[in-house]
Amino acid sequence: MRKQIAAANWKMNLTLQQAEQLTHELLASKRNLGANQLVVFGVPFPYLLPIKNTLQGNGNMYVAAQNCSDKKSGAYTGETSAEMLKSIGLKYVIIGHSERREYFNEDNATLAVKVDLALANDLQPIFCCGEPLSVREAETQNSYVEKQLNESLFHLSADQARYFVVAYEPIWAIGTGRTASSDQAQEMHAHIRSVFASKYGEDVANTISILYGGSVKAANAKEIFGQPDVDGGLVGGASLVADEFASIINSLK
Ligand code: PGA
């Protein structure tokens, strides 16, 4: 069975003290995870190690970086390399979030380099894709997302693509309270899986986890995660509230 993942994206929120408190509250209220269920916390860089330590001993719970550099190492002040993330024992890194694309000019080619550096350092990217509102209104979202996957991921080998994690996040649904309907999510997730199938075969396409992101909350998680091609979610705002995120975790298939 494919991995079902509840991924938190804390973005640039919380002090370390608040982050620790949130993590403790969450650990106290969540149920035990099944063998195929994972929880990943995308936390700010300074909190990676402390939150990783707090999670220690809780099976299937990991921290993720929210970004990594597209440079290997060297004189790039303020950057954090994939190798550094590996060296502190990380397994996951979020790559290509729409906020990185929009505010930090990350394009598909740059993201391809980041994906390669992550994989070369044994990090699993959680690769974000998704269309802006204008594209959705023009009904060209399928080809838009396909281009993102093609230009950033489809140079990978089938072995690298197997068990890959993609997060589909329509930009018009992020932080807006406007969620894609479960039908819209399913339709795009099925499309993403079919694009992987054309490139790598059904076998690989059926191992990738495709998460939905964009205003996921306790009230809608079960319906969205219940769709056949939705393997969990990448959650921003609602991941900052312990009860909400615990309920989202408990909505995983
Ligand atoms: P949201 O953010 O859940 O607050 O809409 C999702 C994301 O940006 O990953």
Side-chain angles (χ1 to χ4, degrees):
M1 196 179 175
R2 290 194 293 269
K3 272 192 226 112
Q4 305 296 307
I5 304 174
N9 179 8
W10 288 356
K11 309 190 181 186
M12 197 171 73
N13 291 299
L14 308 173
T15 61
L16 177 60
Q17 293 70 26
Q18 292 167 333
E20 293 279 16
Q21 191 183 336
L22 174 63
T23 309
H24 284 296
E25 282 174 17
L26 192 74
L27 288 174
S29 58
K30 72 150 187 67
R31 277 193 230 127
N32 284 339
L33 296 167
N36 68 314
Q37 297 176 332
L38 290 186
V39 178
V40 178
F41 295 87
V43 311
F45 286 118
Y47 308 166
L48 285 167
L49 274 180
I51 300 299
K52 183 171 181 287
N53 290 337
T54 304
L55 293 174
Q56 204 135 41
N58 289 278
N60 289 1
M61 301 189 99
Y62 299 93
V63 282
Q66 296 175 10
N67 180 33
C68 69
S69 177
D70 62 335
K71 306 289 191 292
K72 220 171 149 183
S73 67
Y76 300 103
T77 302
E79 288 289 275
T80 300
S81 71
E83 187 183 23
M84 292 171 181
L85 300 177
K86 178 187 181 180
S87 76
I88 61 165
L90 249 59
K91 285 191 160 42
Y92 292 92
V93 56
I94 299 171
I95 291 181
H97 191 278
S98 61
E99 287 149 18
R100 301 290 322 167
R101 294 173 186 262
E102 184 178 350
Y103 306 134
F104 302 94
N105 302 320
E106 297 188 3
D107 60 16
N108 293 340
T110 308
L111 298 174
V113 175
K114 294 190 180 201
V115 166
D116 286 346
L117 284 168
L119 291 172
N121 286 286
D122 304 321
L123 296 167
Q124 173 60 64
I126 297 173
F127 180 81
C128 303
C129 58
E131 80 285 355
L133 185 59
S134 57
V135 168
R136 173 61 65 165
E137 284 174 346
E139 295 178 8
T140 53
Q141 66 273 10
N142 283 7
S143 56
Y144 185 93
V145 168
E146 197 169 329
K147 187 169 189 289
Q148 291 178 319
L149 301 175
N150 196 26
E151 293 182 2
S152 298
L153 299 185
F154 286 175
H155 61 287
L156 300 178
S157 69
D159 272 352
Q160 288 175 314
R162 201 179 295 276
Y163 305 115
F164 207 85
V165 182
V166 173
Y168 167 60
E169 299 203 307
I171 297 169
W172 45 272
I174 296 178
T176 58
R178 182 179 169 190
T179 321
S181 68
S182 49
D183 287 348
Q184 284 173 320
Q186 168 55 24
E187 199 183 320
M188 178 58 85
H189 284 225
H191 175 64
I192 291 172
R193 206 176 296 286
S194 78
V195 171
F196 268 81
S198 318
K199 173 74 188 170
Y200 297 108
E202 294 284 344
D203 194 32
V204 170
N206 283 327
T207 65
I208 61 166
S209 296
I210 311 177
L211 318 185
Y212 169 79
S215 299
V216 173
K217 39 188 184 287
N220 59 26
K222 205 155 195 101
E223 189 188 339
I224 296 173
F225 296 176
Q227 300 301 309
D229 284 294
V230 178
D231 305 309
L234 179 56
V235 186
S239 75
L240 299 171
V241 183
D243 286 353
E244 278 279 314
F245 194 57
S247 161
I248 290 167
I249 294 171
N250 293 336
S251 304
L252 287 174
K253 284 201 276 273

